[in-house]
Amino acid sequence: TTWLDTYERKNIMADVTARLEAVCARLEALAGSIAAGGGAASSAGAAGDQPKFVEVYEEFLAEEVKAFVAATQAIPGCVELKIDSMAKTLYTEIGVVMKMAAACKKPDTQTLMAKMKAVTDLFPLAEKAAFKRGDYNKHATAFKEMLAMVNFLFVPKPRGFAEESYTTPDTYLNQILVKAKKMDDDSKAKNREFVKSAKAVGIKLKDYIKEFHAAEVSWNKKGGDVKSWTPGASAAPAPAAGAPPPPPAGPGLPPPPTNFNYDPAPKKAAPGGMAAVFAQISAGSDQCESAEAGGATAAFKLKKVTKEMKKAMKKQPGLKPKEKKEKKKPKKFAAKKKVVKPPSLEFRQGTWWVENQVENKEVTGVELKHNVYIYNANRVTITIPGKIKSISVDKCTRATIIFDQVISTFELVGCESCKVFCRQAVPSVAIDKSKGTQLNLSESAAENPPDIVTSNISETNVVLPGANPDKDDPIEIPLPEQYITKIAGKNGAWNTDTTMVTHGG
């Protein structure tokens, strides 16, 4: 590569840079003129028409709200409870906030509540009217629920709040309609108009919020401060930023330099914007190397990192890359150890207490008037010979209970995978909140089968002897877990018919 080739590359780069700078200057001039014109237009708009959401709300006041207030004033009891004046205050003050939002930035909650003191004062008045007994209690309660819609000004997502809340007064409005059926024609018409206009207000306000304030209230991000705003004030337009005058474009390409050694003079500070970017490109072309870079800009003057350079870097401790810190493993919380209580078998106040057994046990010495309570037996066999009053099995797992005869009831509560064997007789069996229970009845016990009461069970079976117990296998019958309930009747005379869902087999 000769010095002439290097010069030609530099000359071409300078020509391209000059052209790009001229285009950039014209674009900046055009942007400045557009910004100046847009600022004037926004100023004119701020001083003139109101935002659409303010105009639509004023239409809402003039139509739906006006109709609701008129319907309220037509009912003397509502006027006595001041529902009409409270409604005027509520929806008028929301309209003031809409005008405030068009002119001001979003305030904090305390500032907004201070501006809406007239509305916050309505809540105790509406509460008092709702709790006042009388013929118009439902009217006051319905308005109290309508009053809660003002909270859309404070919640994060007004649209969702409005969709959930606008039907809240309907419960009380429907009660008004039911009560109005027994009134004279004039009172009936007035109450129906009250309900109709109240529902229309809720629907219209909900639709208004969805259209203009879905994500949040449409505050003016370029507006003023709420604290200094008064009704009737308009939003002050933000000053339009004027663009600096564009630099004059050059008449043509610059002549080639006469000094072939090309010793560039210091450059002046480049202007801001895109011109600064092209000035940096131009500066890079002036700093290129003649033979090594081959006309490349400063951005590409990077040296290749050789193996020798990598080895030298490893020898210098200051240049060594930082070692990656090992991530701390999350601490594993040790599971709480179950407190194992010692097994016990004792007789207290007419009951044998068999608790926490871990080995097979036979309860001896039982009498007819005694009870047996078995608790927390796990994988063991408990045998109870002779006649006994009752047996209760509580929170046992995989336990086997064998008994001869129970006079009252055998009860199984909160157990899992337990087996019960009755050798002689049991009149009643109760199984509650248990899973995987198997009740085995001997030939003697099956002659007078017990009444089985179940509740919240699953996988529960009754095992009965076959036709020939010595030869035939026992018969296993599952107890139902699902039921079908059918509702019948009409005109208030309702009844239900419940049948079990039978199992196959």
Side-chain angles (χ1 to χ4, degrees):
T1 304
T2 62
W3 62 269
L4 183 58
D5 295 333
T6 302
Y7 165 73
E8 288 179 351
R9 291 191 183 95
K10 291 178 181 178
N11 194 18
I12 293 171
M13 181 60 71
D15 294 345
V16 173
T17 303
R19 288 177 179 271
L20 290 174
E21 285 180 345
V23 172
C24 179
R26 293 171 186 169
L27 290 173
E28 287 179 341
L30 180 61
S33 63
I34 292 174
S42 63
S43 299
D49 298 335
Q50 293 179 338
K52 186 177 179 181
F53 67 85
V54 176
E55 296 177 358
V56 173
Y57 190 84
E58 289 179 349
E59 294 175 1
F60 166 64
L61 285 177
E63 296 176 8
E64 283 80 11
V65 174
K66 184 178 179 181
F68 174 67
V69 172
T72 305
Q73 290 175 342
I75 302 175
C78 293
V79 176
E80 183 182 350
L81 294 174
K82 300 181 180 180
I83 298 176
D84 57 332
S85 60
M86 288 191 290
K88 282 183 183 179
T89 303
L90 168 63
Y91 296 109
T92 302
E93 288 298 319
I94 294 177
V96 172
V97 175
M98 293 298 100
K99 294 179 181 178
M100 186 193 305
C104 303
K105 296 178 182 178
K106 182 179 180 180
D108 58 84
T109 303
Q110 292 181 350
T111 302
L112 182 56
M113 290 187 69
K115 285 284 186 180
M116 298 184 65
K117 187 176 184 303
V119 175
T120 56
D121 291 343
L122 294 179
F123 281 89
L125 297 176
E127 193 78 19
K128 183 178 179 181
F131 278 100
K132 190 173 181 179
R133 293 183 179 180
D135 295 334
Y136 302 98
N137 168 268
K138 301 302 179 184
H139 299 70
T141 307
F143 175 73
K144 186 190 74 170
E145 299 296 336
M146 294 171 67
L147 177 60
M149 277 288 283
V150 74
N151 288 316
F152 85 89
L153 298 171
F154 302 93
V155 297
K157 295 180 179 180
R159 175 178 178 174
F161 171 79
E163 290 179 339
E164 293 178 0
S165 304
Y166 85 99
T167 56
T168 306
D170 287 358
T171 301
Y172 306 100
L173 295 174
N174 292 335
Q175 292 177 9
I176 295 172
L177 290 177
V178 173
K179 192 174 181 181
K181 292 180 179 179
K182 300 178 181 180
M183 298 180 181
D184 58 83
D185 293 340
D186 184 54
S187 299
K188 185 187 298 184
K190 290 178 180 179
N191 281 274
R192 286 179 175 176
E193 183 61 28
F194 176 88
V195 172
K196 179 182 176 182
S197 58
K199 290 187 176 183
V201 167
I203 294 172
K204 184 66 177 181
L205 184 56
K206 181 259 298 183
D207 294 339
Y208 171 78
I209 294 170
K210 286 175 63 177
E211 183 175 359
F212 297 104
H213 311 287
E216 63 177 1
V217 177
S218 301
W219 294 94
N220 187 350
K221 296 181 180 180
K222 297 181 180 180
D225 189 1
V226 167
K227 295 180 180 179
S228 59
W229 181 86
T230 55
S234 60
L253 297 177
T258 56
N259 184 8
F260 296 120
N261 292 329
Y262 195 68
D263 184 14
K267 297 285 183 180
K268 294 182 180 180
M274 290 296 295
V277 178
F278 293 117
Q280 182 65 26
I281 296 175
S282 178
S285 65
D286 293 340
Q287 297 170 2
C288 64
E289 299 181 73
S290 61
E292 296 178 3
T297 60
F300 295 97
K301 289 167 54 180
L302 301 176
K303 295 182 179 179
K304 184 178 180 181
V305 180
T306 61
K307 292 182 179 179
E308 290 74 12
M309 295 171 67
K310 292 180 181 178
K311 291 180 182 179
M313 183 184 70
K314 291 181 180 180
K315 293 179 181 179
Q316 299 182 25
L319 298 177
K320 287 184 178 180
K322 293 182 180 180
E323 296 180 357
K324 293 183 179 179
K325 294 182 180 180
E326 294 184 0
K327 292 183 179 179
K328 294 183 179 179
K329 296 181 179 179
K331 295 182 180 179
K332 293 183 179 179
F333 294 96
K336 292 183 179 180
K337 294 183 179 179
K338 292 184 179 180
V339 179
V340 180
K341 295 183 179 180
S344 65
L345 172 60
E346 56 182 345
F347 180 75
R348 299 194 309 267
Q349 298 179 351
T351 301
W352 290 91
W353 299 83
V354 186
E355 298 177 311
N356 309 311
Q357 295 297 324
V358 293
E359 296 180 355
N360 298 339
K361 183 70 63 176
E362 181 176 346
V363 183
T364 57
V366 297
E367 297 180 4
L368 183 62
K369 295 182 180 180
H370 292 174
N371 301 304
V372 174
Y373 177 74
I374 303 172
Y375 175 76
N376 195 27
N378 189 2
R379 298 177 183 271
V380 296
T381 300
I382 307 295
T383 305
I384 306 165
K387 290 185 179 181
I388 195 166
K389 184 178 180 181
S390 67
I391 300 174
S392 297
V393 183
D394 188 9
K395 293 182 176 62
C396 296
T397 304
R398 296 185 179 278
T400 301
I401 313 298
I402 303 174
F403 64 91
D404 287 342
Q405 186 174 357
V406 171
I407 303 301
S408 179
T409 303
F410 178 90
E411 185 179 17
L412 198 77
V413 180
C415 296
E416 184 176 351
S417 302
C418 290
K419 294 182 179 181
V420 180
F421 291 87
C422 177
R423 292 170 174 169
Q424 296 180 13
V426 56
S428 176
V429 176
I431 306 174
D432 184 23
K433 299 176 184 177
S434 298
K435 176 182 178 181
T437 304
Q438 186 182 83
L439 175 61
N440 296 267
L441 300 177
S442 66
E443 186 178 1
S444 175
E447 290 179 358
N448 294 306
D451 296 331
I452 303 174
V453 181
T454 59
S455 173
N456 196 12
I457 63 168
S458 64
E459 304 173 24
T460 301
N461 298 317
V462 177
V463 181
L464 299 170
N468 188 349
D470 297 332
K471 297 181 180 179
D472 298 339
D473 293 332
I475 300 171
E476 189 170 3
I477 303 174
L479 298 184
E481 302 175 20
Q482 296 177 330
Y483 300 87
I484 298 175
T485 299
K486 295 182 179 180
I487 301 174
K490 60 181 178 178
N491 298 331
W494 303 105
N495 58 74
T496 59
D497 182 18
T498 302
T499 57
M500 68 178 182
V501 178
T502 57
H503 296 259

